[in-house]
Amino acid sequence: MSHAQQMIASHTAAPPFGRDARSRCIEACFECAQVCSLCADACLSEPQVEQLTRCIRLNLDCADVCEATGRILSRLSEGSPALIRAQLQACVDACRACAAECEHHGQHMGMRHCQICATACRECEAACSAVLQAA
Amino acid sequence: MSHAQQMIASHTAAPPFGRDARSRCIEACFECAQVCSLCADACLSEPQVEQLTRCIRLNLDCADVCEATGRILSRLSEGSPALIRAQLQACVDACRACAAECEHHGQHMGMRHCQICATACRECEAACSAVLQAA
Amino acid sequence: MSHAQQMIASHTAAPPFGRDARSRCIEACFECAQVCSLCADACLSEPQVEQLTRCIRLNLDCADVCEATGRILSRLSEGSPALIRAQLQACVDACRACAAECEHHGQHMGMRHCQICATACRECEAACSAVLQAA
Amino acid sequence: MSHAQQMIASHTAAPPFGRDARSRCIEACFECAQVCSLCADACLSEPQVEQLTRCIRLNLDCADVCEATGRILSRLSEGSPALIRAQLQACVDACRACAAECEHHGQHMGMRHCQICATACRECEAACSAVLQAA
């Protein structure tokens, strides 16, 4: 177990949604934020950077949304259910937009970093959708 | 004009929504993020902190959501309209929840920092709603 | 007075450094973070984006450092003086590196957004230095 | 390997410091940021919250510093070595201050979340020191 998982397991406040799905979602959000930041930088290092500006922009958007979502979900007690649902929906939309763009560059330009990023985005999209459906 | 307003006025990419409403919304998001961070710290300094834990939590949530929203709106070009709308909706919900909590403490506990914070949250809520309606 | 300035003026905890210099520094950090995010996006929209990748990178670094510095300074009570000084020094270095890069593009490529960004970075560098010297 | 580790391994830009130490440091920064956010929330849920306000404050500071440091280190190309060193030093100071506070509450108040958080902070402090010494 990571330190974060141990921390969530030991938290006394009962979260409003299922603890396991929420714990997986928090991890997925922070990993996706990190991978999207890395993908933005890898795109900036490519000789074809002028074809990747929309990808960089969506990477940065997705990193910001995932980080905010991960932080909000990490506050396990006393939150606003309406806010949590709306932020999860925004995260689903951010991951979907970024994944679609990265999948395109992974397939048509052979960019390995975009392929890895698309996978992380799809996993985060699924993890957020799972928490949303359980809500 | 602030540096940020000069920057938005000089940006060549036409944003998908009205530039003035968007510019005001970006300013409101960053100011609300800053005020919510300050309110969380002011609440932590109160002798009655144990009655303010939900307020601190919503302050921190609202600061994170406003900051992500401000950053995404600052990327004026090539964004995902679905993501922008969903993030604006999350920001409306975050500001509404934080304002309601802060208004309560402002009125019933006489907390000046909560009153100022509630005002900033309501202004940000209105600025986000205006951009959403124009979209 | 902005909401943030009202908030700082009403905070009961005495900050370890001079309140006015600190209040100006917090404002400068958050404005610089916002301007650097906008400059990164404006650079991404330029036809010569491949000549601006180092500028985009330093914009993003500076935005992240300024935001963390602004948040830490906003916590007026009970901080770690060693951490505050080290973070202020990192912010001085971030602003200096970003300003130098932006000044170059402002002068040699005529980029208005880089000129505005360089001004905001130099102001934030000065505001952080003033708080550091008073510490 | 996590997605983030795969991403770093596939990045074409040679980082200025050793890649493995840097990769471990990025992971440690993001994990520490996440754990500190969780510890702040767990402290807010404690009945003795009024004895934990300095801990919450340092948790929030450490989360902000670690996140900024992780983001800056994730930009593997073209950074400012002076900025990277100063930010790593700030992160060492943030982790040290937060760990000392959390160790105290772990030992004297038996708080499990503070013990886990102290471990994550000490690991992040060591990972940042290792990159600093190699620089």
Side-chain angles (χ1 to χ4, degrees):
Chain A
M1 272 210 295
S2 68
H3 294 307
Q5 287 166 328
Q6 289 174 48
M7 189 70 103
I8 294 167
S10 74
H11 199 296
T12 54
F17 310 121
R19 179 167 295 196
D20 286 352
R22 188 160 173 149
S23 176
R24 274 194 299 275
C25 190
I26 293 170
E27 298 272 325
C29 285
F30 283 113
E31 173 147 52
C32 193
Q34 198 180 339
V35 170
C36 284
S37 288
L38 286 161
C39 193
D41 186 63
C43 287
L44 276 177
S45 303
E46 293 286 351
Q48 313 98 307
V49 60
E50 78 282 357
Q51 297 172 50
L52 293 168
T53 55
R54 184 170 145 84
C55 193
I56 294 168
R57 195 213 136 99
L58 291 173
N59 282 154
L60 296 173
D61 280 359
C62 196
D64 288 333
V65 174
C66 286
E67 197 173 281
T69 309
R71 281 172 165 242
I72 287 166
L73 289 173
S74 296
R75 298 190 191 104
L76 298 176
S77 53
E78 301 182 301
S80 157
L83 161 56
I84 291 172
R85 273 193 297 273
Q87 188 60 46
L88 282 166
Q89 185 57 56
C91 201
V92 166
D93 289 331
C95 290
R96 195 174 283 158
C98 191
E101 186 77 16
C102 278
E103 283 160 1
H104 180 79
H105 298 303
Q107 285 163 15
H108 294 88
M109 296 171 74
M111 302 224 162
R112 176 85 181 116
H113 52 82
C114 284
Q115 288 169 350
I116 300 169
C117 189
T119 304
C121 289
R122 291 296 181 199
E123 288 178 9
C124 189
E125 181 192 349
C128 290
S129 296
V131 177
L132 262 178
Q133 279 162 11
Chain B
M1 270 210 296
S2 68
H3 294 308
Q5 286 165 330
Q6 290 174 47
M7 189 70 102
I8 294 167
S10 74
H11 199 297
T12 54
F17 310 122
R19 178 167 297 197
D20 285 353
R22 188 163 175 145
S23 175
R24 273 194 300 277
C25 190
I26 294 171
E27 298 274 324
C29 285
F30 284 112
E31 174 149 50
C32 192
Q34 200 180 337
V35 170
C36 285
S37 288
L38 285 160
C39 193
D41 186 65
C43 288
L44 276 176
S45 302
E46 295 286 351
Q48 315 98 304
V49 60
E50 78 283 357
Q51 298 172 49
L52 293 167
T53 55
R54 184 171 145 84
C55 194
I56 294 168
R57 195 212 137 102
L58 290 175
N59 282 155
L60 296 174
D61 279 358
C62 195
D64 288 333
V65 174
C66 286
E67 196 173 281
T69 309
R71 281 173 166 240
I72 287 166
L73 288 173
S74 296
R75 297 190 192 105
L76 300 176
S77 53
E78 303 181 301
S80 157
L83 160 58
I84 292 172
R85 272 194 298 272
Q87 188 59 46
L88 281 165
Q89 186 57 56
C91 200
V92 166
D93 289 331
C95 290
R96 194 173 283 156
C98 190
E101 186 77 16
C102 278
E103 282 159 3
H104 179 79
H105 299 302
Q107 285 162 16
H108 295 89
M109 296 172 75
M111 302 227 161
R112 175 86 180 116
H113 51 81
C114 284
Q115 288 168 351
I116 299 169
C117 190
T119 305
C121 289
R122 289 296 181 200
E123 287 179 10
C124 189
E125 181 191 348
C128 290
S129 296
V131 176
L132 262 179
Q133 279 162 12
Chain C
M1 271 210 297
S2 69
H3 294 307
Q5 287 166 328
Q6 290 174 48
M7 189 70 102
I8 294 166
S10 74
H11 200 295
T12 54
F17 311 121
R19 179 167 295 199
D20 286 352
R22 189 162 173 146
S23 175
R24 273 195 300 277
C25 190
I26 294 171
E27 298 272 325
C29 285
F30 283 113
E31 173 148 50
C32 192
Q34 200 179 338
V35 170
C36 284
S37 288
L38 284 160
C39 192
D41 187 64
C43 287
L44 276 177
S45 302
E46 294 286 350
Q48 313 99 305
V49 60
E50 79 282 358
Q51 297 172 50
L52 294 166
T53 54
R54 184 170 144 85
C55 193
I56 294 168
R57 195 212 136 101
L58 290 173
N59 283 154
L60 296 173
D61 280 358
C62 195
D64 288 333
V65 174
C66 285
E67 197 174 281
T69 308
R71 281 172 165 240
I72 287 165
L73 288 173
S74 296
R75 299 191 190 104
L76 299 175
S77 54
E78 301 182 302
S80 156
L83 160 57
I84 291 172
R85 272 194 298 272
Q87 188 59 46
L88 281 166
Q89 185 58 56
C91 201
V92 167
D93 289 330
C95 290
R96 194 173 283 157
C98 191
E101 186 77 16
C102 279
E103 282 159 2
H104 179 80
H105 298 303
Q107 285 164 14
H108 294 89
M109 297 170 74
M111 302 225 162
R112 176 85 181 117
H113 50 83
C114 284
Q115 288 168 350
I116 300 168
C117 190
T119 305
C121 289
R122 290 297 181 198
E123 287 178 9
C124 189
E125 181 192 349
C128 290
S129 296
V131 177
L132 262 178
Q133 280 163 10
Chain D
M1 271 209 298
S2 69
H3 294 308
Q5 288 165 328
Q6 289 174 48
M7 189 70 102
I8 293 166
S10 74
H11 200 295
T12 53
F17 311 122
R19 178 166 297 196
D20 284 352
R22 188 162 174 146
S23 175
R24 273 194 300 276
C25 189
I26 294 171
E27 298 273 323
C29 285
F30 284 112
E31 174 147 51
C32 192
Q34 200 180 337
V35 171
C36 284
S37 288
L38 285 160
C39 192
D41 187 64
C43 287
L44 277 176
S45 302
E46 294 287 350
Q48 314 99 304
V49 61
E50 79 282 358
Q51 298 171 49
L52 293 167
T53 54
R54 184 171 145 86
C55 194
I56 294 168
R57 196 213 135 101
L58 290 174
N59 283 154
L60 296 174
D61 279 358
C62 196
D64 289 333
V65 174
C66 285
E67 196 174 281
T69 308
R71 281 174 166 239
I72 287 165
L73 289 174
S74 297
R75 297 189 192 106
L76 299 176
S77 53
E78 300 182 302
S80 156
L83 161 57
I84 292 172
R85 272 194 298 272
Q87 189 58 46
L88 282 164
Q89 185 58 55
C91 201
V92 166
D93 289 331
C95 290
R96 196 173 283 157
C98 191
E101 186 77 17
C102 278
E103 282 159 3
H104 179 79
H105 299 302
Q107 284 162 17
H108 295 88
M109 298 171 74
M111 302 226 162
R112 175 85 181 117
H113 49 83
C114 284
Q115 289 168 349
I116 300 169
C117 189
T119 305
C121 289
R122 291 294 181 200
E123 288 179 9
C124 189
E125 180 191 350
C128 290
S129 296
V131 176
L132 262 178
Q133 280 162 11

